[in-house]
């Protein structure tokens, strides 16, 4: 990077707006506190959760108050300021009275306790609405009303109803609900990994991924679609949101796909489906891995290993479908860097070479190592040192800072035009951006997880989940395929419009126990509901992932949904294979796991050909009547499904 560009960066760093300076201060203070807790373990886990939630809400309200003021949204600005004040008062009150609330006032509270709890629960509900809209907060309010008026419901929905005081105890004061285990997980397991993800982004990890994916597409004639798949896989494995992943990668993959002849609806579908899959690829998995490890009380490394084979099958499945489309729809001209930059100016920052030695092998190796070393440290800490998830994540984040600084120093030493005194300034700028990005990712997720904790703990107090489990088994008549299909539909409905962590938590705590009650092992049951909660992002009629992708592509929403379903049908079948072949999601990868995975991939290939290959269906129709051709194609699709699902 040239010295003039670095000087410009430093100048911009010196003229940071006041609101950004406040955000940096909050981020620095928050991550310093998390680092201290990682080393000292000086606070009880519930108290740590209280402070993490308070910090997250502070960061969220300050950032969004600034945004609301810029857009002249007076009502929203006032509501966010009130939420900030309520959060500060509540956090200080709970910290001050922590010992008494935890040991003395258990099961009952003072009038002040109840007022503060009621106000804070209302604050969480508003912030959830502000972050994720009406549908999700409406579901939480419905649960609260059900908990209060259960005696009005008929049959198996009936329960005696909770008093208002009991509802406030469960919702917050007994360190359940808002302050329960789910919120605590955000601080002890999730926060360090979102910090790591923010640092990976700020030190150039996304740029490296884009250039690597472009390298593939510029050397393989059908590699244009694979660029979308690979970049979405890698960026999605770091990023915590399928929708954010669609926005980030779709901004460059969709125009590239369209420029090579792929229909705009197909381009939108490819990106939306591929982006959703990043949420099941270790190490971040849309935060679901950490939540699953805590819910099942299993080592995080077990979840990573169990998720790896299904994730690879997912992407091979998407790659096969995209290959069929790519081969039929695109031109045969290989992409060139100059062509892409000319047609899509937004790609310039990703693809243009700034460093004089950027094309040298040694430079590329060094660039890759700066990101591989922190990931290696992470897996060493989890798998060999057997340290806590929190320590492993923070060690990896610290290593990322180290390798990022070292890479900047070495790469600038290799650039004779660089002024060496600009290097520390550039490194500090990227470090500051990384910790701020980590805080911005953590804040809304922590708010929604606290809201889910409120909803889930309230529901469990009413006894509805256990009743629902028996009801589903009874309605299915004890027939496993019927139970699985009913569970699939429930997971998609509950997961619509929610981030991965939120949708997984809901289905994991409310739906997965039904499958386990039926006799299905824990890991297959949880991966079954996780996949369908994620696929809700591309399932009509809401399909928020396709809404974003079709908007970028300027494509018709419903046609994009149809194309996405053609690509993703094999992925909708894949979770059923977990149930009938539990070795696919085992923490111990054996020869049987590999053989089963290969068979499933063969099945998905056959299914994908039947769904997406126009040449295949045309040849069938030309050699027989259209009816016979269509029946044969349906037969191929059924053969693929059977190969995927049949026990092996």
């Amino acid at each position: 990077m040239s010295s003039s560009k670095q000087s410009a960066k430093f100048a911009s760093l010196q003229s940071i707006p006041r609101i950004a300076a406040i955000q940096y201060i909050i981020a620095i203070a928050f991550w310093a506190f998390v680092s201290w807790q990682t080393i000292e373990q000086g606070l009880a886990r519930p108290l740590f959760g209280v402070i993490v939630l308070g910090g997250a809400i502070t960061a969220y309200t300050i950032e969004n108050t600034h945004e609301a003021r810029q857009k002249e949204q007076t009502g929203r600005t006032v509501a966010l300021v009130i939420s900030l004040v309520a959060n500060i008062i509540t956090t200080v009150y709970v910290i001050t009275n922590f010992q008494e609330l935890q040991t003395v006032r258990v099961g009952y509270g003072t009038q002040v306790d109840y007022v503060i709890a009621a106000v804070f629960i209302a604050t969480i509900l508003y912030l959830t609405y502000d972050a994720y809209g009406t549908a999700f907060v409406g579901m939480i309010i419905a649960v609260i009303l059900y908990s209060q008026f259960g005696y009005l419901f008929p049959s198996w929905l009936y329960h005696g109803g909770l008093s208002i005081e009991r509802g406030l105890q469960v919702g917050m004061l007994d360190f359940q609900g808002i302050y329960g285990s789910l919120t605590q997980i955000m601080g002890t397991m999730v926060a360090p990994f979102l910090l790591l993800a923010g640092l990976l982004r700020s030190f150039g990890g996304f740029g490296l991924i884009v250039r690597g994916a472009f390298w593939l597409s510029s050397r393989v004639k059908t590699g244009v679609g694979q660029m979308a798949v690979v970049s979405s896989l890698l960026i999605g494995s770091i990023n915590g949101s399928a929708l954010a992943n669609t926005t980030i990668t779709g901004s460059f993959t969709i125009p590239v796909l369209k420029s090579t002849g792929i229909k705009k609806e197909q381009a939108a579908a490819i990106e939306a489906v591929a982006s959703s899959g990043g949420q099941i690829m270790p190490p971040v998995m849309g935060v679901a891995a950490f939540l699953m490890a805590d819910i099942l009380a299993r080592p995080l490394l077990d979840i990573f290993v169990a998720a790896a084979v299904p994730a690879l099958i997912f992407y091979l499945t998407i790659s096969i479908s995209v290959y069929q489309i790519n081969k039929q729809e695109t031109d045969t001209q290989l992409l060139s860097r100059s062509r892409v930059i000319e047609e899509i100016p937004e790609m310039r920052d990703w693809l243009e070479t700034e460093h004089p030695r950027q094309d040298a092998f040694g430079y590329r190796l060094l660039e890759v190592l700066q990101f591989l070393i922190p990931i290696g440290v992470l897996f060493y800490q989890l798998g060999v040192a057997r340290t806590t998830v929190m320590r492993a994540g923070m060690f990896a984040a610290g290593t990322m800072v180290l390798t990022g600084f070292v890479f900047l120093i070495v790469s600038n030493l290799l650039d004779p035009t660089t002024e060496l005194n600009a290097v520390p300034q550039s490194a500090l700028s990227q470090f500051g951006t990384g910790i701020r990005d980590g805080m911005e990712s953590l804040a809304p997720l922590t708010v929604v997880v606290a809201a889910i904790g409120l909803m889930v703990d309230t529901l469990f107090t009413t006894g509805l989940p256990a009743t629902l489990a028996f009801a589903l088994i009874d309605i299915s008549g004890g027939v496993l395929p019927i139970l699985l299909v009913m569970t699939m539909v429930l997971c998609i409905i509950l997961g619509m419009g929610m981030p991965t962590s939120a949708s997984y938590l809901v289905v994991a705590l409310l739906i997965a126990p039904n499958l386990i009650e039926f006799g299905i092992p824990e890991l297959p049951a949880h991966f079954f509901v996780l996949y369908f909660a994620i696929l809700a992002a591309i399932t009509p009629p809401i399909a928020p992932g396709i809404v974003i992708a079709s908007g970028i592509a300027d494509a018709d929403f419903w046609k994009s949904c149809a194309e996405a379903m053609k690509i993703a049908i094999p992925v909708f079948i894949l979770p059923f294979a977990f149930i009938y072949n539990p070795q696919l999601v085992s923490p111990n990868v054996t020869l049987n796991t590999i053989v089963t995975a290969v068979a499933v991939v063969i099945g998905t290939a056959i299914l994908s050909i039947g769904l997406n290959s126009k040449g295949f269906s045309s040849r069938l129709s030309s050699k027989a009547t259209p009816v016979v051709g269509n029946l044969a194609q349906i037969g191929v699709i059924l053969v693929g499904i059977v190969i995927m699902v049949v026990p092996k």
Side-chain angles (χ1 to χ4, degrees):
M1 185 178 288
S2 68
S3 59
S4 61
K5 288 187 178 181
Q6 289 191 336
S7 299
K9 268 193 172 183
F10 183 53
S12 65
L13 188 65
Q14 289 179 312
S15 58
I16 295 174
R18 184 180 303 173
I19 184 66
I22 294 172
Q23 290 173 311
Y24 281 121
I25 291 170
I26 291 172
I28 291 169
F30 181 86
W31 294 120
F33 167 69
V34 172
S35 299
W36 172 81
Q37 174 69 4
T38 302
I39 297 168
E40 298 293 333
Q41 296 293 307
L43 298 178
R45 183 164 158 162
L47 181 56
F48 180 60
V50 170
I51 298 174
V52 166
L53 179 58
I57 293 176
T58 300
Y60 179 85
T61 49
I62 288 176
E63 177 188 353
N64 286 276
T65 299
H66 176 65
E67 176 189 302
R69 287 183 62 192
Q70 286 185 319
K71 294 180 179 179
E72 298 183 351
Q73 298 170 327
T74 306
R76 185 183 178 215
T77 301
V78 172
L80 286 167
V81 170
I82 292 172
S83 298
L84 174 61
V85 173
N87 169 60
I88 293 172
I89 292 172
T90 302
T91 303
V92 171
Y93 181 82
V94 173
I95 292 172
T96 305
N97 295 274
F98 176 74
Q99 289 298 329
E100 191 168 353
L101 286 169
Q102 191 181 40
T103 58
V104 179
R105 299 204 297 267
V106 178
Y108 74 95
T110 65
Q111 287 301 313
V112 175
D113 291 343
Y114 291 135
V115 170
I116 284 181
V119 171
F120 194 55
I121 287 173
T123 299
I124 292 292
L125 291 176
Y126 170 73
L127 293 176
T128 303
Y129 160 76
D130 187 76
Y132 296 104
T134 306
F136 185 41
V137 77
M139 185 165 59
I140 300 172
I141 292 172
V143 167
I144 293 173
L145 292 174
Y146 172 72
S147 73
Q148 294 292 308
F149 303 104
Y151 55 85
L152 299 177
F153 288 79
S155 186
W156 55 273
L157 289 173
Y158 175 86
H159 70 93
L162 305 181
S163 65
I164 294 176
E165 291 80 5
R166 177 64 177 148
L168 294 173
Q169 290 292 149
V170 171
M172 185 183 126
L173 293 174
D174 285 347
F175 295 97
Q176 295 175 263
I178 289 172
Y179 287 141
S181 60
L182 298 181
T183 300
Q184 295 163 28
I185 292 169
M186 294 301 295
T188 56
M189 298 179 73
V190 176
F193 282 79
L194 293 181
L195 172 60
L196 174 61
L199 292 169
L200 285 170
R201 286 195 296 268
S202 68
F203 280 104
F206 283 9
L208 177 63
I209 290 168
V210 171
R211 289 194 296 276
F214 176 81
W215 179 89
L216 171 67
S217 66
S218 63
R219 284 161 175 79
V220 181
K221 289 183 180 179
T222 58
V224 180
Q226 305 306 334
M227 181 184 71
V229 175
V230 172
S231 58
S232 296
L233 158 68
L234 296 176
I235 291 178
S237 67
I238 299 170
N239 198 35
S241 165
L243 304 187
N245 192 20
T246 304
T247 304
I248 292 168
T249 58
S251 62
F252 61 85
T253 59
I254 289 175
V256 170
L257 290 169
K258 288 171 62 180
S259 74
T260 58
I262 288 180
K263 296 174 184 176
K264 55 187 179 181
E265 285 81 14
Q266 289 176 325
I270 289 169
E271 177 55 44
V273 175
S275 288
S276 67
Q279 305 301 285
I280 47 90
M281 176 62 73
V284 176
M285 292 176 62
V287 185
F290 314 105
L291 303 173
M292 190 183 296
D294 192 81
I295 291 168
L296 298 180
R298 301 188 69 133
L300 182 60
L301 195 60
D302 281 4
I303 307 300
F304 285 169
V305 174
V309 172
L312 291 174
I313 294 174
F314 181 104
Y315 270 93
L316 282 172
T317 300
I318 302 304
S319 293
I320 292 167
S321 298
V322 169
Y323 173 81
Q324 297 296 325
I325 296 171
N326 238 153
K327 187 171 66 172
Q328 295 158 158
E329 303 291 348
T330 63
D331 60 30
T332 57
Q333 181 183 355
L334 291 173
L335 284 180
S336 67
R337 181 173 302 188
S338 59
R339 175 188 169 191
V340 171
I341 291 175
E342 181 182 351
E343 295 182 4
I344 309 164
E346 294 82 359
M347 292 286 285
R348 186 181 305 275
D349 291 340
W350 298 98
L351 296 179
E352 275 197 331
T353 300
E354 290 183 350
H355 196 285
R357 303 197 181 187
Q358 188 161 328
D359 290 328
F361 174 78
Y363 181 93
R364 289 178 176 174
L365 179 62
L366 184 64
E367 188 180 21
V368 171
L369 284 177
Q370 73 165 324
F371 302 110
L372 286 184
I373 290 173
I375 300 300
V377 168
L378 171 65
F379 282 98
Y380 172 81
Q381 290 293 327
L382 290 173
V384 180
R386 298 285 180 179
T387 188
T388 64
V389 174
M390 188 175 186
R391 282 178 176 267
M394 291 305 290
F395 283 154
T399 306
M400 182 67 252
V401 175
L402 260 173
T403 59
F405 274 51
V406 169
F407 172 74
L408 281 171
I409 292 169
V410 173
S411 64
N412 282 281
L413 285 174
L414 296 174
D415 184 353
T417 66
T418 300
E419 296 176 7
L420 292 181
N421 62 359
V423 175
Q425 300 159 6
S426 175
L428 285 173
S429 173
Q430 289 178 299
F431 170 72
T433 301
I435 62 173
R436 182 182 171 186
D437 283 355
M439 192 74 216
E440 288 179 352
S441 298
L442 178 69
L445 282 177
T446 306
V447 170
V448 76
V449 166
I452 291 171
L454 168 66
M455 180 179 71
V456 169
D457 283 350
T458 301
L459 268 183
F460 272 100
T461 305
T462 68
L464 180 63
T467 307
L468 179 62
F470 289 117
L472 278 177
I473 293 172
D474 186 53
I475 293 170
S476 68
V479 179
L480 180 58
I482 297 176
L483 176 64
L484 294 177
V485 171
M486 292 173 62
T487 303
M488 174 189 74
V489 173
L490 273 175
C491 290
I492 290 173
I493 291 172
L494 292 173
M496 284 182 175
M498 289 199 289
T500 299
S501 55
S503 57
Y504 168 68
L505 274 176
V506 172
V507 298
L509 296 172
L510 299 181
I511 307 300
N514 304 339
L515 300 180
I516 296 169
E517 185 77 24
F518 199 85
I520 295 170
E522 285 182 337
L523 278 174
H526 275 261
F527 275 99
F528 184 89
V529 300
L530 169 63
Y531 270 56
F532 284 118
I534 289 171
L535 290 172
I538 58 169
T539 305
I542 297 178
I546 297 179
V547 169
I548 292 173
S550 61
I552 295 172
D554 192 25
D556 180 85
F557 170 75
W558 290 106
K559 290 180 180 178
S560 299
C561 285
E563 293 293 340
M565 289 299 101
K566 285 172 61 179
I567 295 171
I569 285 297
V571 181
F572 278 85
I573 305 299
L574 184 58
F576 290 88
F578 302 160
I579 303 300
Y580 291 101
N581 297 278
Q583 64 269 29
L584 285 173
V585 285
S586 168
N588 303 307
V589 178
T590 63
L591 180 61
N592 189 22
T593 305
I594 297 171
V595 170
T596 303
V598 171
V600 171
V601 170
I602 292 171
T604 60
I606 294 171
L607 178 56
S608 178
I609 289 170
L611 289 166
N612 295 292
S613 178
K614 291 181 181 178
F616 175 77
S617 58
S618 299
R619 286 194 297 271
L620 284 175
S621 297
S622 65
K623 294 179 180 179
T625 65
V627 173
V628 173
N630 290 336
L631 288 175
Q633 189 167 10
I634 292 170
V636 171
I637 291 171
L638 292 176
V639 167
I641 293 173
V642 169
I643 293 175
M644 286 183 67
V645 176
V646 67
K648 301 167 183 69

